[in-house]
Amino acid sequence: MRYRNIIASALAGTTFCALAGPAAAQTSDAAQVETAVQDEAGADSEIVVLGSRIPRVQAEGPAPVTTITSEDILRNGYQSVPDVLRAITQNGGETQSQQSFSGADFTPGAQQVDLRGLGPNHTLVLVNGRRIADFPLPYGGNSNFTDISNIPVGLIERVEVLSGSASAIYGSDAISGVVNFQLKSKPDGTRIDYRAGFTEHGGGSSQRLSLTTGWETGGFHGVVGVELLDQRPLWAYQRRLQDSSADSPTTEYPIARRNFLRTDEDNDYLDPGASVCAALANLNGGTTYYARRPEYGYDIVNDEYVDGRYCGSNEAIGYGTTISERRAASLYGSMGYHLSDNAELFVDVQASYSRLKLFRDVLDWQYVAPDGNEEGTFFNPNMPVDLTYSGDQLDNWYRLFTPEEMGGLDKGMTRNRSFTYNITPGIRGRFGGGKWGYEVTYNHAEYSSKIDFPQVVISKANDFFLGPQIGEENDYPAFDADIARLYKPLTPAEYASITAYSTYRPKTWVNNFSATINTTDLLQLPAGPVGFAAVAEVGDQGYEMNPDPLALTQYYVGLVDSDGEGTRQHWGAGGELRVPVLNFLQLSGAGRYDHYAFAGNGFGKFTYNLGAELRPMKSLLIRGAYGTGFRAPDLHYVFKGPGNTHTGGTDYYLCGQNEEEIGDCGFDDVDFIARHNGNRRLRPETSTSLNAGFVFQPTRNFDFSADYFRVKMRNQVLNMRIDTILRDEAECRPGPNNAPPEADPTTPTCVDAIARVQRYASGALEGEIQSVSINPINIAEETTDGIDIAMHLRVPTAGIGQFSLAASYTHVFGHTIRQYPGDPSIDKLAFDSGYYIPGDKATASLTWDLGRFSTTLNGQRLGKLPNYAEEAYIKASYLFNLSAQVDLTDRMRISGTVNNLFDQNPIKDRTYSAYPYYDISWFDGVGRSFYLQLTYKMGGAKL
């Protein structure tokens, strides 16, 4: 990859341009290093480094910045913004892939960046230096985050990444770093790019058309770009490694999906008989059969466990989408009018519309009681007594629906129609004889969606399969249920009669008024001029989930969702100084105060950054920076309404009542519901960040940098831990035989814990946990440190062109989290920590440039990860892309790319028992892909 640790230009239409002024330097070579930039631009040219508002001459600053240009994106084979950011070595957190099950449930179609593995909500994402609206549904049902999947990759000029705290410059959210997407904004003729792609093993074909054009007429100038995308889906069943449960590495023979299943009250399988399954053989594409699962059945006569029998299919596991279907259109415009030599009016506009379709899984059904009990058990007089151990005739039915019953998989698609836009009008210029620069802007950004989730309606499905309730028996609802009904295929009309789309209309927005001034010559010192910048901002932010009202009630199978809406107001002001202490030593500092108000509460936070640059010789820069950061509480953590998720844990109270040891207790792994709610008393998260390193550049063709980093977060917001609540509850309740409790039940901790645990008051489950109520609190502490290394080498040759090598590597020394005070620290890099993040990542590229022809080999290395059993690590993985570009003329170029050059499958993990049998946060099953791009340019500079 042609990374460079500089921002070499400040283009029109951005905050950075206003700060840099009209003399901003430009460079088109991503491997160009600092002296080369200065040689091209001139010694007095000013550039702007991400993480500072003061223009400067040197490209390198006190904190390292990684930049990826549009040429880098093409040469290295990155086909989307998520592709670009996955290759960034500082992006160390798990990513939400297109086949993410959690993403499909909570945030369909959205993808995120997670610098330093501290969570996507701790990375600030900017477009043209300005904030954009969050994705309108919360990540994992909890926190807000920025969706990067809707940013048009074909309209990007460059991507800038600053890792480490930048709150003193940009305010909240910049705890782990900042990612800025700079879109094209310099008039340079008209350019058309058409790209077509396909996969070697079928499915997932795509087309993308990008067009940019610009003009300068009198005082008017502008750039307009449009991108159209047509991405076809890739289905899981189109890949042999994940098209069947036979692909599981943990079973001796295939364990079919349970399309039709009956169990008794002890969850032992009840045999339907081979003939019943034979009548269903045409379902799932003719793959349904009389299946077995070892020791899941029970032989009453011989009092022993036997094979559990049911009707299922191996191939029914592969109906999800690996790549979502997406059709999108993006528009971008940056326009300005020169009022005078010292003032310019401008407006930036960016809008995107997308229609996305993905398939999470086929729907299922089991009996759900009107009170929300999802145990699934009912009394059935039609059930022969001799089939049950207890003779209670308690029945459980479970049903997965098939494509034939649905009328095709398209009937089960989750659909997301999204519209996003940002508009920023403003004025910028210079005053004081050109000594001072200024910019005043108003920014409005909005993200709205209409999302349709397919669901099974409880009442309609219960009536369809079981008929009306005829009373109660043994504290269970009774149904005169015909067992044959469970095993009868539905017609598409019958399927439609018991299902519905649950429609959400979420929306987020942000408004911000900003004023900035800066100068490179506040006053003169013996070593040079002092730079200064100041900023003031005021605005607000809000969100509305607008869920289907029925989804907030016990209406759909397996779903009782949360609502949420709220706003907050914000103002902030800050300043920045850069002071040349000696000819070879420069110090910088920034301070900023931000105030937030929401839900009748308010808080203010001051943050600061300190930096130093020591240049003992022209070829060596020694640098360091220290900063504090903060993050205002997520809006959804604050305003989230009540809702449910399924979870489980150890019932310490009942284990104690039965005087059983934990770990050998009948209640050490019980299922129940977690009831979530927001917390309007949350305070901001805080952090400290340190980086220190050097840049060595003995020649303009070689540079090497190494930087140590350390980020520590405090008061991190996490949901309350259910295990702690259950432990407290057990200590606060009476012991066995009504013995006095271990803790005083009148203390606030005991009163709170007992109130949070709801237990069944009657019935067969009397006394067992029904639900636990939790909410987010400021409690956790997280620390990560490591080293970033980057290198660029250019080797010009006589006659055979130029060779360029670029490489970057991040090694994490440690990453720990402590969820509660007094808890031991958890090493998130350990194989048994419950976290799946790598200890190191690397990216490298080798380019051979012959002028009209060039080719690049890109390689990415992902370090070892825990295996699924969390008992060891899987080995590191490698991925290679190969590209080539040929300039047919000065105005026409053809480019070809092979992604996943060696057709590598995900690393095998013999313990991975969950479908698709590999970690979808880091791997996919797409295989080798091919892309062909044609570029044509009219006017402007040559290609």
Side-chain angles (χ1 to χ4, degrees):
M1 178 187 299
R2 288 184 167 189
Y3 289 119
R4 56 179 177 171
N5 288 344
I6 57 175
I7 299 175
S9 62
L11 302 180
T14 74
T15 302
F16 304 119
C17 175
L19 301 176
Q26 296 180 29
T27 179
S28 59
D29 189 344
Q32 202 82 307
V33 291
E34 182 172 329
T35 54
V37 172
Q38 293 171 349
D39 287 346
E40 289 182 8
D44 297 328
S45 293
E46 296 173 351
I47 59 176
V48 172
V49 178
L50 182 66
S52 174
R53 296 181 185 271
I54 306 173
R56 58 188 298 131
V57 175
Q58 293 91 0
E60 294 286 358
V65 175
T66 297
T67 299
I68 305 172
T69 69
S70 57
E71 286 298 310
D72 301 330
I73 293 172
L74 174 66
R75 290 177 183 272
N76 289 286
Y78 307 139
Q79 305 303 324
S80 66
V81 169
D83 280 353
V84 175
L85 294 183
R86 269 193 293 268
I88 301 268
T89 61
Q90 297 93 331
N91 187 18
E94 298 176 62
T95 58
Q96 187 169 275
S97 71
Q98 295 190 59
Q99 65 186 117
S100 166
F101 302 137
S102 175
D105 287 338
F106 292 107
T107 52
Q111 295 180 268
Q112 81 289 343
V113 58
D114 184 2
L115 296 180
R116 302 303 186 203
L118 294 171
N121 55 338
H122 297 107
T123 299
L124 175 61
V125 176
L126 306 174
V127 174
N128 293 340
R130 302 183 179 98
R131 291 173 181 266
I132 59 177
D134 291 331
F135 188 77
L137 290 178
Y139 179 75
N142 292 314
S143 60
N144 302 105
F145 75 106
T146 303
D147 175 26
I148 60 173
S149 68
N150 264 342
I151 298 174
V153 68
L155 301 182
I156 291 175
E157 181 68 31
R158 64 182 184 271
V159 183
E160 305 158 345
V161 181
L162 168 68
S163 53
S165 177
S167 291
I169 305 297
Y170 300 107
S172 179
D173 303 341
I175 282 181
S176 56
V178 184
V179 179
N180 179 51
F181 296 93
Q182 177 62 54
L183 303 184
K184 299 179 187 295
S185 55
K186 180 178 175 57
D188 185 25
T190 298
R191 174 170 173 154
I192 302 172
D193 293 279
Y194 172 75
R195 189 213 68 180
F198 64 95
T199 64
E200 179 171 324
H201 304 292
S205 62
S206 64
Q207 299 181 82
R208 188 182 74 210
L209 175 66
S210 301
L211 182 149
T212 57
T213 188
W215 70 90
E216 290 187 78
T217 305
F220 288 98
H221 62 88
V223 171
V224 174
V226 63
E227 179 174 291
L228 304 177
L229 174 68
D230 181 13
Q231 173 68 63
R232 309 306 299 166
L234 172 63
W235 294 87
Y237 60 75
Q238 293 179 287
R239 293 295 179 266
R240 292 183 60 186
L241 81 161
Q242 59 190 51
D243 64 350
S244 166
S245 57
D247 298 315
S248 173
T250 62
T251 57
E252 295 181 6
Y253 59 88
I255 303 298
R257 287 202 88 183
R258 299 165 296 177
N259 278 99
F260 304 86
L261 173 68
R262 284 182 65 222
T263 68
D264 60 21
E265 69 270 30
D266 296 319
N267 288 321
D268 295 325
Y269 291 12
L270 300 176
D271 193 339
S275 61
V276 171
C277 295
L280 303 170
N282 64 308
L283 299 178
N284 292 307
T287 64
T288 303
Y289 67 101
Y290 183 49
R292 67 187 180 95
R293 193 171 185 182
E295 297 189 357
Y296 270 73
Y298 190 74
D299 183 347
I300 296 175
V301 176
N302 296 310
D303 190 24
E304 63 181 1
Y305 285 100
V306 296
D307 286 348
R309 290 289 187 171
Y310 57 101
C311 304
S313 164
N314 300 340
E315 285 71 18
I317 198 86
Y319 292 135
T321 48
T322 298
I323 296 177
S324 305
E325 176 181 320
R326 185 192 291 264
R327 290 176 176 168
S330 298
L331 173 69
Y332 170 67
S334 177
M335 291 154 281
Y337 176 71
H338 290 288
L339 296 172
S340 69
D341 291 342
N342 293 315
E344 177 190 16
L345 295 174
F346 67 93
V347 61
D348 294 346
V349 179
Q350 190 244 329
S352 295
Y353 176 76
S354 69
R355 298 176 64 93
L356 178 134
K357 294 166 64 176
L358 61 85
F359 198 92
R360 161 69 169 86
D361 199 354
V362 294
L363 297 179
D364 60 4
W365 169 83
Q366 65 177 5
Y367 171 67
V368 179
D371 66 356
N373 183 354
E374 299 184 11
E375 183 185 2
T377 304
F378 60 92
F379 180 84
N380 189 0
N382 295 313
M383 182 179 183
V385 175
D386 59 2
L387 286 180
T388 69
Y389 182 74
S390 63
D392 286 337
Q393 295 179 284
L394 296 178
D395 212 347
N396 286 273
W397 293 8
Y398 179 74
R399 189 73 158 69
L400 281 171
F401 299 102
T402 66
E404 293 83 359
E405 295 173 299
M406 297 165 58
L409 292 176
D410 190 66
K411 302 294 184 181
M413 287 280 202
T414 296
R415 295 174 167 85
N416 182 359
R417 284 139 291 179
S418 293
F419 178 63
T420 68
Y421 72 92
N422 311 318
I423 181 168
T424 307
I427 184 171
R428 60 186 164 218
R430 308 194 74 82
F431 64 93
K435 180 178 179 179
W436 289 83
Y438 71 90
E439 180 179 87
V440 180
T441 64
Y442 169 75
N443 172 236
H444 174 75
E446 195 168 305
Y447 197 136
S448 58
S449 295
K450 180 184 177 185
I451 307 175
D452 297 323
F453 297 94
Q455 303 289 347
V456 174
V457 178
I458 292 173
S459 59
K460 293 181 179 180
N462 286 352
D463 289 345
F464 181 84
F465 287 108
L466 304 179
Q469 184 173 336
I470 59 175
E472 285 193 3
E473 193 77 29
N474 299 330
D475 294 320
Y476 283 93
F479 294 90
D480 187 14
D482 182 0
I483 295 171
R485 190 63 172 163
L486 173 65
Y487 297 101
K488 181 182 178 182
L490 277 63
T491 67
E494 289 173 327
Y495 173 83
S497 72
I498 64 172
T499 60
Y501 271 102
S502 179
T503 300
Y504 288 50
R505 290 178 170 84
K507 175 182 175 181
T508 60
W509 66 91
V510 60
N511 298 296
N512 193 58
F513 178 83
S514 174
T516 305
I517 61 170
N518 66 68
T519 180
T520 57
D521 190 13
L522 179 66
L523 55 92
Q524 285 287 333
L525 295 179
V530 174
F532 171 77
V535 61
E537 296 179 342
V538 61
D540 63 8
Q541 181 181 5
Y543 87 118
E544 300 171 354
M545 284 190 62
N546 295 324
D548 173 4
L550 296 173
L552 306 179
T553 67
Q554 199 74 40
Y555 187 78
Y556 299 114
V557 172
L559 174 66
V560 178
D561 208 346
S562 301
D563 197 357
E565 64 174 301
T567 61
R568 66 186 180 199
Q569 293 72 46
H570 161 252
W571 64 265
E576 183 181 356
L577 282 172
R578 187 176 66 244
V579 181
V581 179
L582 300 169
N583 290 333
F584 56 87
L585 175 62
Q586 187 165 257
L587 302 180
S588 58
R592 177 175 171 131
Y593 182 84
D594 289 88
H595 185 273
Y596 283 83
F598 57 87
N601 300 318
F603 61 82
K605 188 68 181 176
F606 176 78
T607 55
Y608 64 90
N609 281 1
L610 300 172
E613 301 164 63
L614 177 65
R615 298 176 184 269
M617 61 184 72
K618 186 177 180 180
S619 60
L620 178 64
L621 165 65
I622 300 172
R623 62 187 175 190
Y626 177 85
T628 62
F630 85 107
R631 186 169 195 276
D634 282 291
L635 283 171
H636 194 61
Y637 271 137
V638 174
F639 293 105
K640 181 178 183 178
N644 297 348
T645 58
H646 295 85
T647 187
T650 299
D651 190 340
Y652 297 99
Y653 172 65
L654 288 186
C655 286
Q657 290 295 305
N658 294 323
E659 300 185 84
E660 296 178 291
E661 293 291 333
I662 303 300
D664 190 27
C665 170
F667 298 96
D668 63 358
D669 187 19
V670 295
D671 296 325
F672 49 83
I673 292 172
R675 302 192 187 277
H676 296 261
N677 216 330
N679 182 356
R680 302 195 176 198
R681 296 188 299 273
L682 289 173
R683 306 301 293 173
E685 302 173 319
T686 60
S687 71
T688 56
S689 176
L690 171 69
N691 71 267
F694 68 90
V695 181
F696 179 57
Q697 184 187 343
T699 73
R700 61 181 297 166
N701 289 327
F702 173 75
D703 71 274
F704 177 86
S705 65
D707 290 273
Y708 171 80
F709 67 86
R710 184 177 187 270
V711 182
K712 184 171 185 176
M713 289 179 56
R714 298 179 179 88
N715 302 316
Q716 188 175 0
V717 176
L718 289 177
N719 280 319
M720 300 178 71
R721 193 162 59 186
I722 290 176
D723 186 73
T724 300
I725 294 172
L726 295 179
R727 288 178 183 272
D728 289 342
E729 185 229 12
E731 293 178 358
C732 299
R733 288 185 179 274
N737 302 315
N738 211 29
E742 296 180 31
D744 182 355
T746 65
T747 62
T749 297
C750 284
V751 171
D752 183 68
I754 292 172
R756 290 183 180 277
V757 182
Q758 294 84 45
R759 296 179 176 272
Y760 289 102
S762 61
L765 298 178
E766 181 178 356
E768 295 186 22
I769 298 173
Q770 182 179 21
S771 65
V772 177
S773 298
I774 58 175
N775 55 261
I777 53 177
N778 292 94
I779 199 70
E781 183 178 286
E782 188 166 359
T783 303
T784 182
D785 73 325
I787 190 169
D788 296 322
I789 298 173
M791 182 270 290
H792 308 91
L793 173 67
R794 293 189 303 167
V795 182
T797 64
I800 59 172
Q802 176 177 279
F803 293 90
S804 301
L805 175 65
S808 59
Y809 174 71
T810 294
H811 180 82
V812 181
F813 297 140
H815 195 145
T816 61
I817 185 170
R818 178 183 289 113
Q819 293 184 332
Y820 278 77
D823 284 355
S825 292
I826 299 172
D827 179 4
K828 293 180 74 170
L829 300 178
F831 58 72
D832 58 352
S833 68
Y835 296 90
Y836 295 82
I837 57 176
D840 64 289
K841 288 179 70 177
T843 300
S845 65
L846 177 64
T847 297
W848 178 29
D849 193 338
L850 281 167
R852 288 195 172 272
F853 171 81
S854 67
T855 182
T856 298
L857 177 66
N858 170 267
Q860 300 171 41
R861 180 186 187 274
L862 178 70
K864 64 183 182 180
L865 294 166
N867 66 6
Y868 186 75
E870 297 188 1
E871 61 187 12
Y873 295 98
I874 61 173
K875 64 181 182 180
S877 61
Y878 298 84
L879 183 70
F880 293 91
N881 299 334
L882 179 66
S883 72
Q885 295 84 39
V886 179
D887 290 343
L888 303 177
T889 70
D890 290 341
R891 302 287 176 177
M892 183 178 293
R893 173 183 297 160
I894 188 167
S895 308
T897 302
V898 184
N899 281 7
N900 194 352
L901 179 64
F902 300 108
D903 199 21
Q904 291 292 313
N905 284 329
I907 296 295
K908 284 189 176 296
D909 180 355
R910 298 294 182 185
T911 71
Y912 216 103
S913 60
Y915 183 80
Y917 315 120
Y918 57 83
D919 188 343
I920 58 177
S921 293
W922 297 104
F923 307 107
D924 63 51
V926 174
R928 187 184 289 122
S929 303
F930 302 90
Y931 298 91
L932 189 66
Q933 180 166 317
L934 178 65
T935 300
Y936 180 68
K937 193 173 183 195
M938 298 175 287
K942 299 176 183 179
L943 288 171

